[in-house]
């Protein structure tokens, strides 16, 4: 190690002070830049980043909690509701896109290319099939495919099948009345539409409903017909 001679001390000290000033200046610039960045993120971009975080981990879904019942004169149900699962995906969580598309296509009886196109979407939430059968959802749940989620919905159920079908009518995928009593008494039967705030975990899987609130003027009611299911059965068959 080279020794600093006595006559070199002033020069050495000047060099040391220069380096010290430069290092201090660099730290000051770094601190100023860091402070400016924090101010930008925490103050100027606070609301924007907060909304972005909520979009990533919280999603608001509009679900229907079931239409009103249609009953015969003896209060036997001609139209009611059953709870079923609907299948959605988060494309960002799906690693093996072709395998997932093949499994979803096979179990849900859907076109594979159409599913693959949805899987390649940039969105965080995409419907695959609404209101699936129990057999379909059980098979999918056993596979445990990453990025595939299940959401509870209500499906219209006609316990007497086609009995008085032209009178009772039918509904669409979103529970809107399309024919018969289902259509003509839509304002009474349309059910409660609930806005459900769904929370996602670190893997962006839906884990629970944080809260839910019914929209205004969406209360369902029951319609009782003068029709008697026994008499109707003999009249039809």
């Amino acid at each position: 190690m080279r020794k600093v001679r006595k006559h070199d001390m002033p020069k050495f000290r000047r060099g040391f002070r220069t380096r010290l000033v430069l290092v201090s200046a660099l730290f000051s610039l770094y601190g100023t830049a860091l402070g400016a960045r924090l101010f930008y993120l925490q103050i100027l971009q606070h609301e924007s980043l907060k909304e972005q975080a909520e979009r990533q981990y919280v999603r608001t879904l509009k679900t229907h909690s079931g239409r009103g019942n249609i009953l015969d004169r003896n209060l036997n149900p001609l139209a009611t509701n059953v709870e079923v699962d609907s299948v959605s995906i988060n494309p960002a969580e799906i690693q093996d896109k072709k395998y997932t598309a093949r499994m979803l296509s096979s179990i849900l009886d859907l076109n594979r290319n159409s599913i693959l196109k949805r899987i390649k979407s940039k969105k965080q939430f995409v419907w695959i099939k609404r209101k699936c059968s129990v057999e379909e959802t059980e098979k999918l749940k056993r596979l445990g495919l990453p990025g595939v989620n299940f959401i509870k919905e209500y499906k219209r159920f006609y316990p007497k099948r086609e009995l008085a079908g032209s009178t009772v009518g039918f509904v669409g995928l979103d529970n809107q009345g399309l024919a018969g009593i289902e259509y003509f008494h839509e304002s009474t039967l349309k059910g409660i539409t609930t806005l459900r705030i769904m929370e996602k975990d670190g893997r962006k899987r839906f884990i629970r409903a944080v809260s839910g609130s019914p929209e205004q003027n969406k209360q369902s009611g029951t319609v009782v017909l003068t029709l008697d299911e026994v008499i109707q059965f003999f009249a039809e068959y």
Side-chain angles (χ1 to χ4, degrees):
M1 182 176 179
R2 190 173 78 86
K3 293 183 179 181
V4 180
R5 297 177 182 177
K6 191 173 182 178
H7 64 274
D8 290 334
M9 285 298 293
K11 185 178 179 181
F12 173 79
R13 288 173 180 170
R14 286 195 301 271
F16 178 77
R17 283 198 297 268
T18 301
R19 287 192 294 271
L20 185 61
V21 169
L22 288 174
V23 172
S24 299
L26 289 174
F27 274 108
S28 296
L29 288 174
Y30 177 78
T32 301
L34 182 61
R37 181 63 176 170
L38 290 174
F39 176 80
Y40 175 76
L41 293 176
Q42 296 184 357
I43 306 300
L44 300 181
Q45 292 293 311
H46 174 75
E47 291 301 324
S48 175
L49 294 175
K50 180 182 177 182
E51 291 177 3
Q52 183 178 340
E54 288 178 349
R55 286 197 301 268
Q56 290 177 345
Y57 294 100
V58 176
R59 183 174 181 85
T60 301
L61 298 176
K62 183 181 289 189
T63 60
H64 300 274
S65 57
R67 292 170 64 83
N69 295 328
I70 300 176
L71 311 175
D72 80 343
R73 61 182 298 177
N74 297 311
L75 305 185
N76 296 310
L78 299 175
T80 185
N81 310 286
V82 292
E83 192 177 58
V84 294
D85 282 305
S86 291
V87 178
S88 68
I89 60 169
N90 183 345
E93 299 175 19
I94 300 175
Q95 299 298 322
D96 194 335
K97 300 184 185 301
K98 291 185 178 180
Y99 173 76
T100 302
R102 186 167 70 251
M103 291 297 99
L104 289 173
S105 171
S106 174
I107 294 174
L108 300 179
D109 192 26
L110 297 173
N111 181 272
R112 186 187 305 180
N113 291 330
S114 175
I115 294 178
L116 188 59
K117 185 177 180 180
R118 298 183 202 180
I119 291 176
K120 292 179 180 180
S121 169
K122 299 298 182 181
K123 299 179 181 179
Q124 292 185 342
F125 180 92
V126 180
W127 283 117
I128 293 297
K129 187 173 183 179
R130 304 277 299 279
K131 303 178 182 179
C132 303
S133 69
V134 175
E135 292 77 12
E136 289 173 334
T137 53
E138 284 182 349
K139 289 179 181 178
L140 279 179
K141 287 178 179 179
R142 282 198 295 268
L143 287 177
L145 297 171
V148 176
N149 302 301
F150 303 90
I151 298 172
K152 293 292 183 184
E153 291 195 279
Y154 282 90
K155 183 178 182 179
R156 203 59 162 160
F157 175 61
Y158 302 97
K160 309 303 178 183
R161 297 183 182 275
E162 293 84 10
L163 185 70
S166 59
T167 301
V168 174
F170 56 90
V171 300
L173 184 62
D174 288 313
N175 279 354
Q176 74 277 23
L178 297 179
I181 297 297
E182 296 277 29
Y183 173 77
F184 289 107
H185 290 276
E186 173 68 11
S187 60
T188 301
L189 295 168
K190 60 185 174 183
I192 302 172
T193 300
T194 302
L195 298 177
R196 300 171 62 192
I197 301 176
M198 303 295 293
E199 190 176 68
K200 293 182 279 187
D201 61 13
R203 296 183 179 178
K204 298 183 180 179
R205 298 172 299 185
F206 289 110
I207 54 176
R208 65 189 180 96
V210 179
S211 64
S213 60
E215 291 184 339
Q216 294 181 352
N217 302 321
K218 296 291 184 179
Q219 299 298 319
S220 61
T222 297
V223 172
V224 180
L225 307 180
T226 57
L227 181 149
D228 184 303
E229 70 168 36
V230 176
I231 296 175
Q232 185 69 25
F233 176 82
F234 284 108
E236 291 187 14
Y237 299 99

